[in-house]
Structure formats: C-alpha cells, structure tokens
Amino acid sequence: MLIGLTSFIPLYAQGVLHTSALVAGFALAALTLGWPLAASMAGRIYLRIGFRRTALIGAVVIMIGAGLLDLLSSRSSVWQVGATCFVIGFGLGLVSSPTLISAQSSVEWDRRGVVTGTNVFARSMGSALGIAVFGAIANSSLSHGVGGQISSTASAIPVAVLEHALHRVFLAAGVVAVLLTIAVLIMPSRLAISQTAPPT
C-alpha cells in the first residue's frame, strides 16, 4: 500500500488531475500526517483491546482508504486525494506498530533484535515486490491503451488511458488491503508474551 501510494498518487495528481508537482507532493504528505498520528494512538489502544484487534481496526481503515482510491476520477479534487492518503496512512499507523510490538513481545529479549530486523527486511522485500507488480500492471494497461507505443513522457499519454491504468493499480492495492486484513485475522488472538526480564 505504501509503495503504491508514494509511486502512483503523484502521477495521478499530475497526469490526471493536472496539478503541479508541488501540489501532488502536498496531497501525498497527508499520508505522513495520518501515519504518525495513528501510531502515537496505537500504543494506548492495543494496551486496552489487544494487538490483534488494534491491527484489525487499522486493516479495515486501510480497506476503506483503498475503496476511496477507486472512487477517484478526473473530476476529483486534490483535497479528495489528500483525504484518501490520510485515511490509508492512519490505517497503516494502526497496523505497523502493534504488529511489530506483538512480534517483539512474543520472543525472548535476546531474540528481539532478530525479530525487528526480520520485520524491516520483510517490509523492504514487500516494497520491492509491490512496486514491481504495480509497475507491471500500469505498464501493461498503458501499452494496451496506446497500442503498444508508450511514449517516454506521461504528457503524451491520453488522460483516459492513464487514468484507467492507475485505477488498475489502485484496484491491485485494494487486493493487497484485503490480503492484509486476512493476515491480521490469522494472527493469534492471545500471544504468549515473554515475561523474561531484559539482560542487565
């Protein structure tokens, strides 16, 4: 979801909504507002309702944001794009913190560095795979829309073709949001949290 937003939302704002690069950047910046805001609240929430329920709330918020992505059109305003980014960022903040803390808390202290490193590595691999898949979807749709002749400049691509290609990417992001929700549902409802004291 994150790599899909940061890579294709600015292109959508500039190529479809005809905004400047600065305005497109501000729309995407709403993501960076929603994420830390939710992450700061997540600590208090998961202490009350648990890691899994907090992450599940975040996953549902992300699915709502993915639905809002599909509602974007050439008549949408940049404020609508920014609001969509904020919603998805808020959901990501509610998912990322409790899932990481739950993973760290389920192992002994001497293994928490390994868990943290594995988590970061998995996110990096997911981002690399995600941008490759999303890029392939966009390129395939663009190639089909312009008869196999993709120009080196986005301005030469018809707006309708670009919009259709990016909506296919947004649809793929929606599928990722559904898979994320399923993954959260698979998480144990009760974690065997390690009570071992940290090494002195």
Side-chain angles (χ1 to χ4, degrees):
M1 291 299 295
L2 178 63
I3 200 67
L5 282 176
T6 55
S7 300
F8 293 100
I9 283 292
L11 179 60
Y12 190 89
Q14 291 181 258
V16 178
L17 302 184
H18 304 294
T19 65
S20 66
L22 181 62
V23 173
F26 277 128
L28 185 61
L31 171 71
T32 63
L33 295 177
W35 188 316
L37 179 63
S40 65
M41 298 169 53
R44 294 190 294 271
I45 296 174
Y46 66 63
L47 288 176
R48 292 187 177 184
I49 65 174
F51 297 116
R52 183 171 176 264
R53 289 181 180 176
T54 305
L56 185 58
I57 292 171
V60 171
V61 172
I62 293 173
M63 283 201 302
I64 293 172
L68 293 175
L69 276 178
D70 288 330
L71 295 178
L72 295 177
S73 70
S74 58
R75 297 181 299 274
S76 300
S77 69
V78 71
W79 295 103
Q80 186 176 348
V81 176
T84 301
C85 290
F86 180 85
V87 171
I88 295 178
F90 195 88
L92 289 170
L94 288 176
V95 170
S96 61
S97 297
T99 51
L100 174 59
I101 300 300
S102 64
Q104 292 173 332
S105 301
S106 63
V107 299
E108 302 296 334
W109 279 92
D110 60 350
R111 293 178 179 244
R112 292 190 179 185
V114 175
V115 168
T116 304
T118 303
N119 183 279
V120 173
F121 176 74
R123 289 185 185 184
S124 298
M125 290 297 295
S127 294
L129 179 62
I131 192 59
V133 172
F134 289 164
I137 291 172
N139 287 337
S140 174
S141 181
L142 288 172
S143 179
H144 179 74
V146 297
Q149 299 295 326
I150 299 180
S151 173
S152 59
T153 59
S155 59
I157 300 174
V159 173
V161 174
L162 181 61
E163 182 179 5
H164 176 70
L166 293 179
H167 267 290
R168 290 189 64 185
V169 173
F170 296 159
L171 183 61
V175 173
V176 172
V178 172
L179 293 176
L180 170 64
T181 304
I182 294 173
V184 172
L185 288 172
I186 294 174
M187 283 180 61
S189 56
R190 292 180 179 273
L191 295 173
I193 299 176
S194 173
Q195 301 296 330
T196 306
T200 55

